[in-house]
Amino acid sequence: MTSSYNNQIPKLYEAFNGQFLIGAAVNAKTVVTQRDLLTYHFNSLTAENEMKFERLQPEEELYTFEEADRLVAFAKEHDMGVRGHTLVWHNQTPDWMFEHPSGRAMDRNTLLARMKSHIETVVNRYKGMIYAWDVVNEAVSDSGEQVLRQSKWLDIAGEDFIARAFEYTHAADPNAMLFYNDYNESVPEKREKIYSLVKSLKEKDVPIHGIGLQGHWNLEHPTLDDIREAIERYARLGMMLHITELDVSVFNFEDKRTGLLAPTEVMVERQAERYQQFFELFKEYSEHITSVTFWGAADDYTWLDNFPVYGRKNWPFIFDQQHQPKQAFWDIIDLTR
Ligand code: GLA
């Protein structure tokens, strides 16, 4: 396989050496099917699902580490860093976590004790192998006046489940960089909520070191100005910034069209232009941005094929379905010459 990959082209991670790491989200399948592409261009990995709560502890005290272990071993073998994703989230967390063994309503102390035990077990296992953890994912609400999203975590444990999660993680691995990670991070209303949450954590001396901007963007949204403003605002809190889940959908969120067999020329060009603008911005702020991770690696596999429209093929990356560079790749590389 290795020989079939075009190794005459610049390596993406080398082009940004000394500025930020270049990451990809992977799963058990893509580390096989995208192996050569991954090892050639990327120096950081995130498990797409394999480190989520339901995958690591599907039943109380029953830990299933095999798949996550394999991804970490793959990264180690190829000298790549690993971002840990994610410890505390309202999604992909099994129901048992929020149910009391006796059947009565779950209480705060039990929930926090379970959270602590999960964090200690998981973070300890990968201590020294994970440079950053997404400790809390998506705890901020998208709309309304409420800062925090309604969730079982919030209902049962109250708002300081967030601070506790960071404290437990820091105690388990004092060297890992600890992140709060969210989407719509560049939308002004939500940006201000994330800002105020992180600011209040800092004021309470909670061990938080960074903000993860997921970066699920498209050809029009968010605007470059809004992204810049989000970066500025978060950096002003003294936070390290990671772009954690970058993909650039060729469709607007509302676009329900399915059945397109390939991206149109206009899409490919506009996508390249957007990617170039984003990376120009990341370079400009590389003092703060230390890692840029795509939520996948190439157009043959993306969660966007089934979100938000099931079966709508998407082409959100800078490598095509055959793992060849798209125009976006070359436009990004141009910034580094
Ligand atoms: C969110 C999560 C990711 C992933 C994506 C969709 O952004 O943080 O883990 O589930 O949604 O794939």
Side-chain angles (χ1 to χ4, degrees):
M1 259 175 115
T2 314
S3 55
S4 69
Y5 192 74
N6 179 356
N7 54 13
Q8 303 302 308
I9 64 176
K11 291 176 185 251
L12 190 60
Y13 80 82
E14 274 184 7
F16 291 97
N17 225 344
Q19 300 187 59
F20 36 77
L21 299 174
I22 297 286
V26 298
N27 60 45
K29 206 169 155 197
T30 58
V31 284
V32 178
T33 57
Q34 299 180 333
R35 186 177 196 280
D36 294 338
L37 179 77
L38 291 168
T39 57
Y40 193 81
H41 288 292
F42 298 84
N43 57 0
S44 177
L45 290 187
T46 305
E48 185 188 20
N49 290 300
E50 290 71 6
M51 288 189 189
K52 290 175 179 171
F53 203 120
E54 67 177 10
R55 298 291 283 273
L56 292 183
Q57 199 188 171
E59 290 170 37
E60 189 165 14
E61 297 299 324
L62 175 83
Y63 282 92
T64 46
F65 282 120
E66 293 76 10
E67 289 192 344
D69 283 358
R70 239 178 285 141
L71 298 183
V72 172
F74 177 89
K76 203 170 171 196
E77 185 189 337
H78 298 285
D79 269 329
M80 298 159 137
V82 180
R83 292 194 83 261
H85 175 80
T86 175
L87 297 166
V88 173
W89 190 24
H90 64 281
N91 265 333
Q92 291 180 264
T93 304
D95 290 340
W96 69 258
M97 184 68 181
F98 306 102
E99 285 161 5
H100 203 278
S102 70
R104 67 187 158 84
M106 184 59 161
D107 62 287
R108 175 172 196 274
N109 289 346
T110 308
L111 181 61
L112 290 177
R114 285 175 172 176
M115 176 172 95
K116 182 166 190 269
S117 150
H118 180 83
I119 288 177
E120 279 173 354
T121 308
V122 172
V123 173
N124 254 313
R125 185 175 188 90
Y126 300 116
K127 199 172 176 162
M129 293 185 261
I130 289 192
Y131 65 94
W133 271 105
D134 290 331
V135 177
V136 175
N137 199 30
E138 304 179 351
V140 166
S141 83
D142 284 289
S143 52
E145 295 291 300
Q146 287 277 91
V147 172
L148 296 183
R149 161 197 302 281
Q150 215 52 50
S151 74
K152 288 184 183 168
W153 289 107
L154 183 63
D155 287 350
I156 300 167
E159 63 181 46
D160 69 30
F161 79 90
I162 299 174
R164 293 290 94 76
F166 281 93
E167 286 160 10
Y168 299 152
T169 310
H170 186 60
D173 186 352
N175 293 322
M177 294 289 116
L178 308 189
F179 278 70
Y180 174 74
N181 188 48
D182 215 328
Y183 66 92
N184 283 351
E185 72 299 312
S186 303
V187 174
E189 298 73 34
K190 192 162 173 189
R191 177 193 76 212
E192 288 311 303
K193 293 184 189 181
I194 295 171
Y195 179 88
S196 68
L197 167 67
V198 173
K199 185 161 180 281
S200 79
L201 293 172
K202 270 203 60 174
E203 282 163 1
K204 286 181 241 160
D205 281 329
V206 172
I208 175 169
H209 312 110
I211 298 179
L213 294 82
Q214 289 190 3
H216 292 295
W217 300 334
N218 67 35
L219 301 184
E220 305 306 328
H221 305 281
T223 66
L224 210 54
D225 285 346
D226 280 350
I227 298 171
R228 178 188 293 279
E229 187 58 27
I231 291 172
E232 289 261 349
R233 212 67 188 119
Y234 298 150
R236 235 173 284 146
L237 286 169
M239 288 290 116
M240 181 186 292
L241 307 181
H242 284 179
I243 310 299
T244 54
E245 306 185 16
L246 182 60
D247 46 25
V248 180
S249 170
V250 301
F251 299 104
N252 285 332
F253 202 79
E254 305 73 28
D255 191 333
K256 298 282 182 280
R257 270 180 302 166
T258 59
L260 206 66
L261 296 176
T264 65
E265 230 168 89
V266 174
M267 286 172 172
V268 174
E269 274 165 29
R270 175 70 180 141
Q271 188 183 48
E273 183 186 11
R274 289 280 275 172
Y275 265 118
Q276 190 181 47
Q277 292 167 341
F278 298 154
F279 274 78
E280 208 167 8
L281 203 55
F282 302 160
K283 265 172 70 85
E284 188 182 330
Y285 288 93
S286 65
E287 193 190 314
H288 305 282
I289 299 175
T290 53
S291 182
V292 175
T293 291
F294 294 82
W295 204 242
D299 288 343
D300 52 315
Y301 175 75
T302 166
W303 72 296
L304 291 172
D305 287 350
N306 293 306
F307 181 87
V309 180
Y310 190 83
R312 184 189 67 182
K313 179 69 198 135
N314 211 320
W315 301 272
F317 298 119
I318 64 173
F319 298 102
D320 68 17
Q321 286 170 270
Q322 282 73 43
H323 305 174
Q324 299 308 309
K326 293 160 67 176
Q327 191 187 324
F329 171 86
W330 294 113
D331 288 358
I332 289 173
I333 290 292
D334 271 349
L335 297 169
T336 68
R337 301 207 221 246

